[in-house]
Amino acid sequence: MKITDTSDLWWRSAVVYCLDVETFMDWTGDGKGDFVGLAHRIDYLAQLGVTCLWLMPFYPTPGRDDGYDITDFYGVDPSLGTHGDLVEVLRLADDRGIRVIVDLVVNHTSDQHPWFTAARSSRESPFRDYYVWRDAPPPGHEENVFPDKETGVWQRDEKTGQYYQHSFYRQQPDLNITNPAVRDEIAKILGFWLQLGVSGFRVDAVPFLLDTAGVDAARQLLPDPHEYLRSLRSFMGRRSGQSILLGEVNLPYEDQLEFFGGPDGGELTMQFDFLTMQHLYLSLARQDARPLVQTLLARPELPDGAQWAIFVRNHDELTLDKLSDDERQEVFAAFGPEPGMQLYGRGLRRRLPPMLDGDPRRIRMVYSLLFALPGTPTLFYGEEIGMGENLAVEGRSAVRTPMQWTAGANAGFSTAAERKLPAPVTPGGYGPAFVNVESQDHDPDSLLVFVRKLVQTYRTTFEIGFGAFGVLDSGTPGVLAHEMRWDEGCVVALHNFSPESAEVRLPLEGSAVLDLLTGIREPLPEKGPAVLSLEGYGFRWLRLLA
Ligand code: GLC
């Protein structure tokens, strides 16, 4: 093993777990999750095999956008605990070998942030230029990210008679990164959290952050926003060489490459692979691996050390905005036919298991793929036990219900009265009576035990995180066959999107294959292709043995 190649690239073989402190575990009994509750659950995450915890925004907030509207970038919302409680979580995580990254939401602030309060008080305020102001909305209609609530991205401010830009809700005024003072503030925020011990940031809405088109040309002081991202990355690297920027960039691959810093890198360390995620759903809907295969083949080559983060679901709607209208309708028809399951005309506010009608074969195949595809697997809390959504909860919050720990009251999440919870626990067949950690923990057939197995196998299969990736011709439209080669090793993975069993013929070298998930060896023929069988929705991870 070439240790020198990998020892400082921890993120390439990490297991990322995303959670919102507010919905994970309430220890103080007030109905809201808190840092003390999370501290008590660090060993659960360690046992699952998580190596990187991504904390969704925990900063003081009026809660207009579930914490993505921040009033103090240095603070901890009092309902979640104190800095002391947070540091305790960092220490416990560190002790278990778990790194922590935090959400960096600096495209905008809350409209109640002191900067904005000052900025809107007068055109002469020293904070005025922290935000983007115009006398009139510039020509060209830009659609707001939240089209159900907002008709545009410019809001008139009565007192000072100008319009401010907001790519998201009007309560989230966009910061002006062309202003050097704002860039200094952002650097200080990074510096603060790095000093406290975090290993990097999940950078929110990066294309919006770098989009300076709204700024009056006369005030444009930043010719190349990518140059700024590059300097932010090197600043972070100087402060903490092992830290990462994991960016949210939902754009075509060629644009994503730019956010990595082009072929030479130097900007984001990792980016979520939205295209692979969206085409995975198209493949699932069609029971045909080809849309996914084509997307994987279209991935650009990444700069050294950079990596994709792969995900099946996250805290937002399952966006399908990069599919064609027809393709999106196909996925809607398969996985969210009712209007109440859809959001913003582009996505689904559902979790995976209900979309797959709870079929354990398909659910496991998808999670197997999450861990077997090249890229860093990223889990959203509750996925490991197969939680479902609560469609009675508004908007995106349908997938942000309390973590289900036990079959007891409030799913063991809180001892408070039900009405005090941040969102009602998911009812029905995906409710705590059927889906909870406690009952799955010791059940060898549970999803939780299965996911633990995937995590362990992924963590001991370096080819996945570090290897050269290639798609193999499976000869069967339903089956994705791919290989990863690293050092002397080669692992071949097979995933069957179709309910029909399949036989895949592949010209494999070696004397046998070792099935990494079952431990069973299968000899390879001396001549001719190997014939590998797969059940309907089956999957296999095979190491070639010399
Ligand atoms: C990102 C977050 C989303 C939030 C938005 C505005 O897209 O994932 O939850 O609403 O940014 O901060």
Side-chain angles (χ1 to χ4, degrees):
M1 184 184 288
K2 291 181 276 181
I3 289 294
T4 45
D5 284 352
T6 60
S7 54
D8 55 352
L9 302 177
W10 61 268
W11 55 91
R12 293 199 56 151
S13 61
V15 177
V16 181
Y17 190 96
C18 166
L19 63 84
D20 187 352
V21 176
E22 189 186 27
T23 51
F24 201 59
M25 184 65 210
D26 169 23
W27 207 259
T28 57
D30 64 352
K32 272 191 146 191
D34 42 54
F35 276 104
V36 182
L38 173 55
H40 281 88
R41 291 294 182 260
I42 290 291
D43 281 321
Y44 166 76
L45 299 177
Q47 201 187 5
L48 180 58
V50 170
T51 66
C52 177
L53 178 59
W54 153 24
L55 296 179
M56 285 169 64
F58 50 78
Y59 315 100
T61 174
R64 183 63 189 81
D65 185 16
D66 205 11
Y68 283 90
D69 48 328
I70 296 168
T71 54
D72 176 6
F73 289 114
Y74 299 106
V76 173
D77 195 88
S79 67
L80 307 176
T82 63
H83 280 109
D85 299 326
L86 165 69
V87 167
E88 197 56 14
V89 164
L90 294 177
R91 184 191 68 82
L92 287 167
D94 183 54
D95 186 60
R96 273 73 170 165
I98 300 176
R99 293 169 188 268
V100 178
I101 63 173
V102 298
D103 236 294
L104 180 73
V105 189
V106 288
N107 170 67
H108 46 263
T109 67
S110 158
D111 63 350
Q112 292 172 44
H113 192 291
W115 296 341
F116 192 67
T117 317
R120 78 190 320 182
S121 68
S122 130
R123 291 198 190 196
E124 273 68 55
S125 162
F127 290 96
R128 187 72 174 178
D129 279 347
Y130 270 43
Y131 298 88
V132 184
W133 297 94
R134 300 292 286 252
D135 291 332
H141 176 76
E142 270 177 76
E143 201 179 320
N144 192 285
V145 179
F146 298 128
D148 61 330
K149 296 272 165 39
E150 300 289 355
T151 50
V153 300
W154 295 96
Q155 176 68 27
R156 191 178 140 85
D157 184 56
E158 291 310 324
K159 182 155 183 228
T160 55
Q162 279 187 310
Y163 291 78
Y164 64 85
Q165 189 183 328
H166 61 94
S167 307
F168 297 86
Y169 292 122
R170 68 188 65 183
Q171 293 87 351
Q172 294 167 295
D174 286 348
L175 280 168
N176 173 14
I177 61 153
T178 71
N179 180 349
V182 169
R183 300 202 296 273
D184 271 357
E185 298 279 9
I186 294 176
K188 267 191 278 182
I189 296 164
L190 256 79
F192 177 84
W193 293 106
L194 290 172
Q195 201 70 25
L196 218 58
V198 308
S199 296
F201 303 87
R202 178 267 185 187
V203 194
D204 190 63
V206 193
F208 296 93
L209 173 68
L210 291 204
D211 181 2
T212 57
V215 179
D216 200 337
R219 308 178 84 95
Q220 271 283 6
L221 300 169
L222 185 69
D224 181 3
H226 277 281
E227 203 43 56
Y228 166 52
L229 185 55
R230 186 178 294 274
S231 70
L232 196 65
R233 166 78 182 274
S234 30
F235 166 80
M236 183 185 71
R238 293 195 301 277
R239 290 288 171 97
S240 167
Q242 293 258 302
S243 50
I244 59 163
L245 294 177
L246 164 54
E248 181 199 26
V249 181
N250 178 11
L251 290 178
Y253 281 140
E254 61 200 74
D255 300 321
Q256 282 195 288
L257 185 58
E258 271 188 58
F259 284 85
F260 278 117
D264 296 330
E267 296 185 31
L268 297 171
T269 329
M270 297 215 284
Q271 291 179 49
F272 294 104
D273 191 343
F274 279 92
L275 287 168
T276 289
M277 184 280 290
Q278 300 192 29
H279 289 88
L280 163 67
Y281 282 91
L282 186 60
S283 273
L284 288 168
R286 291 187 180 166
Q287 309 197 328
D288 181 337
R290 286 174 295 184
L292 178 61
V293 167
Q294 281 152 17
T295 308
L296 292 169
L297 290 174
R299 275 174 160 188
E301 192 165 334
L302 296 189
D304 259 3
Q307 177 76 312
W308 296 108
I310 321 198
F311 65 108
V312 169
R313 284 298 294 114
N314 67 11
H315 60 290
D316 291 332
E317 75 281 3
L318 189 182
T319 183
L320 300 164
D321 64 341
K322 296 290 177 289
L323 301 182
S324 71
D325 290 346
D326 288 349
E327 292 168 343
R328 187 177 320 107
Q329 290 311 323
E330 272 184 80
V331 179
F332 279 179
F335 301 133
E338 293 168 28
M341 298 169 168
Q342 301 165 9
L343 201 59
Y344 312 135
R346 63 172 184 246
L348 292 170
R349 47 193 217 102
R350 306 197 75 190
R351 282 180 177 258
L352 179 81
M355 288 194 275
L356 299 183
D357 294 326
D359 184 339
R361 298 171 305 164
R362 288 181 101 183
I363 295 167
R364 286 170 191 231
M365 191 277 283
V366 172
Y367 285 109
S368 164
L369 201 54
L370 174 68
F371 286 92
L373 279 179
T376 300
T378 305
L379 285 169
F380 180 50
Y381 78 93
E383 283 195 278
E384 71 278 19
I385 53 171
M387 273 172 59
E389 71 279 352
N390 183 354
L391 289 170
V393 183
E394 207 210 338
R396 294 164 153 185
S397 299
V399 301
R400 302 177 183 178
T401 58
M403 178 67 181
Q404 294 171 194
W405 296 104
T406 72
N410 296 335
F413 159 75
S414 172
T415 55
E418 209 184 326
R419 64 188 155 76
K420 294 191 168 171
L421 306 190
V425 167
T426 295
Y430 293 93
F434 303 98
V435 177
N436 70 74
V437 171
E438 191 178 68
S439 66
Q440 294 193 24
D441 198 19
H442 300 286
D443 173 358
D445 296 325
S446 69
L447 185 62
L448 177 59
V449 169
F450 171 73
V451 174
R452 277 187 196 139
K453 172 83 188 169
L454 288 176
V455 173
Q456 283 164 16
T457 313
Y458 158 82
R459 287 282 295 163
T460 49
T461 307
F462 259 47
E463 289 85 347
I464 301 176
F466 294 96
F469 165 75
V471 172
L472 305 174
D473 180 8
S474 76
T476 314
V479 176
L480 164 63
H482 71 277
E483 65 168 16
M484 289 145 301
R485 290 176 183 273
W486 188 73
D487 208 2
E488 306 283 287
C490 178
V491 170
V492 170
L494 305 174
H495 288 84
N496 188 357
F497 283 74
S498 132
E500 313 297 333
S501 58
E503 281 199 338
V504 178
R505 283 163 202 278
L506 292 174
L508 300 181
E509 321 128 24
S511 63
V513 290
L514 173 66
D515 188 316
L516 296 171
L517 296 172
T518 62
I520 296 172
R521 272 173 192 246
E522 200 174 306
L524 291 176
E526 276 177 23
K527 278 203 198 108
V531 183
L532 302 158
S533 57
L534 272 179
E535 292 174 7
Y537 303 126
F539 49 88
R540 304 181 71 181
W541 301 14
L542 304 169
R543 180 184 293 288
L544 304 193
L545 303 177

